[in-house]
Amino acid sequence: MAIVIKTPQEVEKMRRAGAVVREVLEYVRGFVKPGATTMDLEGAAVRKMEELGVKPAFKGYHGYPCVLCTSVNSEVVHGIPSAKRVLREGDIVSIDTGVVLDGYYGDSAITVPVGEKIAPRAQRLLDVTRTSLESGIQAVRPGATLGDIGAAVQQVVEAGGFSVVREFVGHGIGTSLHEDPQVPNFGRRGQGLKLREGMVLCIEPMVNSGSPDVQVLEDGWTAVTQDGSLSAHFEHTVAVTSDGAVVLTE
């Protein structure tokens, strides 16, 4: 496992990339409404990236066709935008994207409700998943372990009555979209790789309202819950500093 330690100057470049990712996500969020398609969201993201002069991180990555992943309801991650996928009142949609700026990557995801009327359990899934990400970030500091992050996420999720996806995990990031180490959303405190100042990680809980089991559809990308339950996904790019975690995608 080759962990790439970033200099403060590199972290600063990644902060700029992260700020752009946040700007794109907030822009796209404004297009989430009943009657919109996931391809409408894709179009908004493409326009914003062009306006900001950045390259998309996802398009072309292992052949992926779009700049966004848009995963609706029981779709966990890697949902491909489509003009046929119409958002409806009460849906939830995960929007995951990344950019390359000055040779460095940023990566972040949000899950948002469609319309004003969302089922209480769906809203609770969003709240718990977001809180689990915050808990994972709070565990980040030099000398802590990957297990500390995973345990912090898992504890919040399971206390909320939900389940953590095991097949997909977070990752290191830098001049590549995916670097070592893998960052699971489950684990035991004190176990796993020790964090060092200069590491940059993507922490990204994927949380199901039912069973944790997932399957990948025939398109080779879209992962869905096996039992058809709802899934939510939140992600930040986080630097390990002497002061603890610094979120680069806020």
Side-chain angles (χ1 to χ4, degrees):
M1 187 184 294
I3 308 291
V4 182
I5 300 299
K6 279 75 180 178
T7 66
Q9 293 80 7
E10 288 176 306
V11 170
E12 192 51 43
K13 286 182 179 181
M14 295 189 73
R15 188 199 298 271
R16 290 199 288 274
V20 170
V21 174
R22 179 59 30 189
E23 193 172 342
V24 172
L25 283 175
E26 291 306 320
Y27 181 72
V28 172
R29 183 202 288 265
F31 291 82
V32 175
K33 55 183 181 289
T37 69
T38 53
M39 188 54 79
D40 292 334
L41 307 186
E42 170 77 4
V46 169
R47 290 193 301 276
K48 195 65 177 173
M49 288 182 189
E50 287 174 351
E51 176 194 318
L52 295 169
V54 294
K55 279 176 58 180
F58 293 3
K59 189 166 187 175
Y61 185 77
H62 295 302
Y64 187 75
C66 293
V67 307
L68 294 182
C69 295
T70 53
S71 306
V72 183
N73 294 338
S74 62
E75 295 171 351
V76 180
V77 281
H78 306 154
I80 301 173
S82 166
K84 296 177 180 174
R85 190 62 189 266
V86 180
L87 299 176
R88 293 184 167 79
E89 183 85 30
D91 285 348
I92 60 174
V93 56
S94 155
I95 307 165
D96 185 3
T97 197
V99 305
V100 195
L101 179 62
D102 202 11
Y104 289 84
Y105 284 78
D107 186 7
S108 186
I110 55 176
T111 305
V112 296
V114 180
E116 304 299 321
K117 299 176 189 146
I118 179 173
R121 185 161 172 83
Q123 184 61 59
R124 181 157 169 71
L125 175 66
L126 300 188
D127 294 342
V128 167
T129 307
R130 191 186 300 106
T131 301
S132 77
L133 172 58
E134 292 163 359
S135 182
I137 291 169
Q138 286 167 5
V140 171
R141 64 185 183 283
T145 68
L146 290 176
D148 293 341
I149 298 173
V153 171
Q154 184 178 5
Q155 186 173 3
V156 170
V157 170
E158 292 178 354
F162 300 115
S163 63
V164 171
V165 170
R166 301 300 207 269
E167 281 88 341
F168 297 97
V169 296
H171 52 92
I173 187 171
T175 54
S176 300
L177 178 59
H178 290 105
E179 296 183 352
D180 288 332
Q182 293 199 331
V183 185
N185 299 301
F186 54 92
R188 295 175 64 179
R189 294 186 195 279
Q191 293 200 343
L193 182 79
K194 279 201 168 157
L195 305 185
R196 292 168 53 197
E197 189 175 346
M199 291 170 71
V200 182
L201 308 172
C202 288
I203 304 174
E204 49 175 324
M206 288 148 271
V207 177
N208 296 349
S209 64
S211 144
D213 299 325
V214 304
Q215 60 187 13
V216 177
L217 299 183
E218 285 180 5
D219 63 19
W221 286 103
T222 310
V224 300
T225 58
Q226 270 194 359
D227 60 6
S229 64
L230 293 177
S231 188
H233 176 209
F234 286 87
E235 175 183 17
H236 272 311
T237 300
V238 180
V240 183
T241 77
S242 55
D243 298 324
V246 172
V247 179
L248 305 180
T249 42
E250 269 189 330

